[in-house]
């Protein structure tokens, strides 16, 4: 790119001069008002009847054949303004040093200023571009074969302006420019393209949710056809909460009308990214050359914001969404209904089709991003690269069972035991929370010789026969068989009830989560576990802390939730977060209890403690430590509790706020309100769910990489949705 746009050569006519030109050339008596433009000078003309026109004035030093080409192309494109010939029949009139043209006026607002960009509007944009590209597919003109810096095929020179940017911003552009450099241009279809369907050149009718026209054919060039769509996508993504979802809507409609080739699909996202890069690079250069030119800065801030947003997306994901947008969507729900047992429900009124997870976000098949506020399994973040890498590397090297010696096992059990009170030095590795509790039950029974169990109200401990029997959440719920004789259910209002039941029934074990999950994110009263444990031990039982949901730093103040109670259990069970999604569980206990269990019958678990699981588990512990995730849980928890209390003060539907660290919840007036909130929050990009015996508690237990920005987003969305609910 040797020369900048001819900004300095743009005509500078007054409105009065434009009016004179209109009358002289077109016999049009009309009032002129200037329109913004980069290269030409444009006026809006309004005649007495109110009819409007666009008068376009170019410097006669500009090559005339470019205007010829524009006129010829515009005649073919349905969305283009119509050319109106001058009185003497000229399509391009010459007056002193100007070329003058008159066009029909297209009604509509700038796409940039129409909000929201609904799926229908985005689809209309896709169809408009498809119609344009298909209309121009057979068109050619010598002037289109030109050297032009806005042609993405020829923009390499713009990268020299990288030096004008601060290092952090340069780094942001690098991956986009790398992908663009890899484009194999010879594999792409070529044609003359509009090349500038930016959000100010596209007009829309907001009420009708459709595109009414495309303006400014000044950037036309012969290039890869797909560049036209890529340019439009770059701007369609601006200021969108879900830029890739917006792009996918455009692509789907485009592809349906004018199918993209595989090579085009593959280069679409790199080209859109490159256009954004070129936009900021040109702006950096032009700002240096012509500081104060407002036109250049119209979308610059928004482009940087978009580049930052895109840079945070999981690698390869945008391209995958765009590819999906061109493919028929399978009916996943139907095949589930046929082949999966029906005793399983889907979340949300409109179930989500999730295709990607990355840290605290999930992404659906349409490209929408959701802040995941409920998944406490993806503890250190969905697909955390260190965990993925640890599992992959070990899976590629060795996976076997615990009857061999291998380092990952020793390393892991030492590290895991190191997080626990010294007396809980013996570890069993299993594959799920249920297996952990099942084993804990066997340990307790072997140690005490007693079958009886005390559990607390609404507790859930797992999906096996023995665990359903000790889970009031299940046996008292739909399809449940009621409370078995060997099980006693304690209230959690105070530990006295546990003590009483322990004295009366002399159980083998007391199972209790250190803060209650299924019961609705309920914190135990202060001192509850200390007192309950003492009473159970006095009656000869052992105390099991179910930390399946609460462990691994989620409490914020402590690594284990039982520590917040100042209590030490005899057995701790772990699951969910332990493997960040890899199926793992663990039981820790005392050497004495472990000795009682070693009665000759071996405990063997085919998959438990395998080298891959141990490597994954170790990576999880390392990430918690290295990324200070426990401290983050403490800080974010405090921030959220404050924010939720503030929401409670303004919204009567919130009855209370509970929890600590990133184990939080809030009560709502009823199940209906809670369900409506959860479904609307999903629509606005936040995943939550309900819990508690009355299904009126909203639980918040996000991946522990949940940050300040996420907290602000969650609170802002909650406020919005609660306002809607308040309004009825
Ligand atoms: N204990 C508690 C407290 C749980 O919440 C769960 C699972 N929701 C389990 C145990 C069982 O874990 P899993 O589903 O991994 O078997």
């Amino acid at each position: 790119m040797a020369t900048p746009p001819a900004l300095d050569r743009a005509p500078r006519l007054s409105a009065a001069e434009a009016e004179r030109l209109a009358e002289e050339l077109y016999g049009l008596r009309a009032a002129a008002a200037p329109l913004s433009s980069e290269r030409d000078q444009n006026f809006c003309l309004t005649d007495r009847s109110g009819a409007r026109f666009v008068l376009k004035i170019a410097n006669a030093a500009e090559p005339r054949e470019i205007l010829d080409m524009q006129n010829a192309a515009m005649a073919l494109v349905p969305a283009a303004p119509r050319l109106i010939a001058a009185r003497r029949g000229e399509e391009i009139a010459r007056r002193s040093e100007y070329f003058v043209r008159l066009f029909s006026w297209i009604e509509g607002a700038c796409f940039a200023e129409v909000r929201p960009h609904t799926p229908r509007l985005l689809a209309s944009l896709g169809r408009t571009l498809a119609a344009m590209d298909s209309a121009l597919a057979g068109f050619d003109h010598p002037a289109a074969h030109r050297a032009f810096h806005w042609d993405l095929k020829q923009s390499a020179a713009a990268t020299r302006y990288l030096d004008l940017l601060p290092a952090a911003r340069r780094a942001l552009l690098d991956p986009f420019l790398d992908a663009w450099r890899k484009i194999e241009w010879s594999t792409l279809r070529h044609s003359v393209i509009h090349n500038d369907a930016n959000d100010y050149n596209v007009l829309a009718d907001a009420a009708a949710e459709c595109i009414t026209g495309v303006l400014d054919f000044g950037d036309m060039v012969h290039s890869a056809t797909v560049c036209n769509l890529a340019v439009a996508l770059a701007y369609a993504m601006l200021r969108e909460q879900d830029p890739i979802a917006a792009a996918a809507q455009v692509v789907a409609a485009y592809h349906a009308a004018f199918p993209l080739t595989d090579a085009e699909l593959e280069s679409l996202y790199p080209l859109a990214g490159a256009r954004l890069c070129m936009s900021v690079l040109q702006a950096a250069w032009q700002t240096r050359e012509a500081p104060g030119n407002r036109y250049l800065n119209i979308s610059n801030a928004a482009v940087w914001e978009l580049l930052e947003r895109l840079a945070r997306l999981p690698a390869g994901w945008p391209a995958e969404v765009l590819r999906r947008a061109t493919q028929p969507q399978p009916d996943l729900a139907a095949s589930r209904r046929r082949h999966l047992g029906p005793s399983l429900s889907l979340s949300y009124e409109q179930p989500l089709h999730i295709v990607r997870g990355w840290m605290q976000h999930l992404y659906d098949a349409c490209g929408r991003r959701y802040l995941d506020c409920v998944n406490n399994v993806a503890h250190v973040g969905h697909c955390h690269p260190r965990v993925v890498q640890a599992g992959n590397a070990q899976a590629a090297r060795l996976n076997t069972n615990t009857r061999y010696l291998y380092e990952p096992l020793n390393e892991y059990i030492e590290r895991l035991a190191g997080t626990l009170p010294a007396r809980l030095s013996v570890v069993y590795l299993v594959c799920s929370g249920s297996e952990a509790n099942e084993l804990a039950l066997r340990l307790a029974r072997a140690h005490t010789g007693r079958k009886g169990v005390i559990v607390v109200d609404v507790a859930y401990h797992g999906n096996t026969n023995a665990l359903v029997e000790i889970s009031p959440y299940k046996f008292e719920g739909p399809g449940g068989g009621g409370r078995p004789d060997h099980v006693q259910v304690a209230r959690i209002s105070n530990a006295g009830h546990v003590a009483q039941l322990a004295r009366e029934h002399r159980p083998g074990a007391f199972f209790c989560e250190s803060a209650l999950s299924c019961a609705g994110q309920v914190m135990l009263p202060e001192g509850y576990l200390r007192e309950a444990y003492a009473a159970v031990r006095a009656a000869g039982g052992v105390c099991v802390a179910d930390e399946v949901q609460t462990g691994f730093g989620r409490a914020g103040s402590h690594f284990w939730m039982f520590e917040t109670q100042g209590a030490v259990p005899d057995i701790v069970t772990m699951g969910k977060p332990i493997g960040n999604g890899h199926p793992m569980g663990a039981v820790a206990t005392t050497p004495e209890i472990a000795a009682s269990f070693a009665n000759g019958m071996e405990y063997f678990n085919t998959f438990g403690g395998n080298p891959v699981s141990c490597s994954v588990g170790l990576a999880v512990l390392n990430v918690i430590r290295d990324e200070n995730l426990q401290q983050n849980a403490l800080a974010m928890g405090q921030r959220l509790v404050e924010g939720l209390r503030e929401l409670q003060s303004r919204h009567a539907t919130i009855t209370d706020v509970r929890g600590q660290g990133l184990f939080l919840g809030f009560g709502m007036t009823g199940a209906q309100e809670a369900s409506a909130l959860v479904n609307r929050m999903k629509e606005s990009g936040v995943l939550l769910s309900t819990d508690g015996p009355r299904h009126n508690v909203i639980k918040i237990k996000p991946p522990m990489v949940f940050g300040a920005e996420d907290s602000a987003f969650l609170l802002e969305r909650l406020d919005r949705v609660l306002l809607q609910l308040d309004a009825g």
Side-chain angles (χ1 to χ4, degrees), residues 171-172 175-176 269 305-315 358:
L172 198 55
F176 292 102
Y269 183 68
E305 212 178 288
L306 173 59
L307 283 165
E308 271 159 24
R309 193 173 267 268
L310 296 177
R312 288 198 296 262
L313 295 176
W358 182 247

Side-chain angles (χ1 to χ4, degrees), residues 432-435 437 460-463 513 517-518 546 548-549 576:
S432 69
S434 295
E435 276 195 8
N437 280 329
Y460 175 68
H461 294 292
N463 58 30
E513 282 189 275
S517 307
C518 292
D546 181 334
V548 167
Q549 298 234 23
K576 293 190 193 280

Side-chain angles (χ1 to χ4, degrees), residues 470-557:
I470 69 163
S471 298
Y473 182 74
K474 291 289 174 196
F475 67 65
E476 283 172 356
R483 180 178 62 82
D485 289 341
H486 67 279
V487 178
Q488 306 304 321
V489 181
R491 291 185 297 270
I492 57 130
S493 45
N494 66 72
H497 193 209
V498 179
Q500 182 198 332
L501 291 171
R503 276 194 306 275
E504 286 170 8
H505 296 274
R506 307 195 64 76
F510 168 58
F511 270 71
C512 187
E513 282 189 275
S514 310
L516 312 184
S517 307
C518 292
Q521 305 293 94
V522 179
M523 301 307 284
L524 295 169
E526 204 183 320
Y528 182 91
L529 285 185
R530 242 191 351 259
E531 204 181 323
Y533 285 1
V536 170
R537 283 170 184 147
V542 301
C543 302
V544 180
D546 181 334
E547 290 271 348
V548 167
Q549 298 234 23
T550 53
F552 293 91
R554 184 163 292 279
S557 59

Side-chain angles (χ1 to χ4, degrees), residues 548-568:
V548 167
Q549 298 234 23
T550 53
F552 293 91
R554 184 163 292 279
S557 59
H558 298 82
F559 197 82
W560 300 105
M561 192 68 88
F562 63 75
E563 296 173 288
T564 68
Q565 287 270 316
V568 179

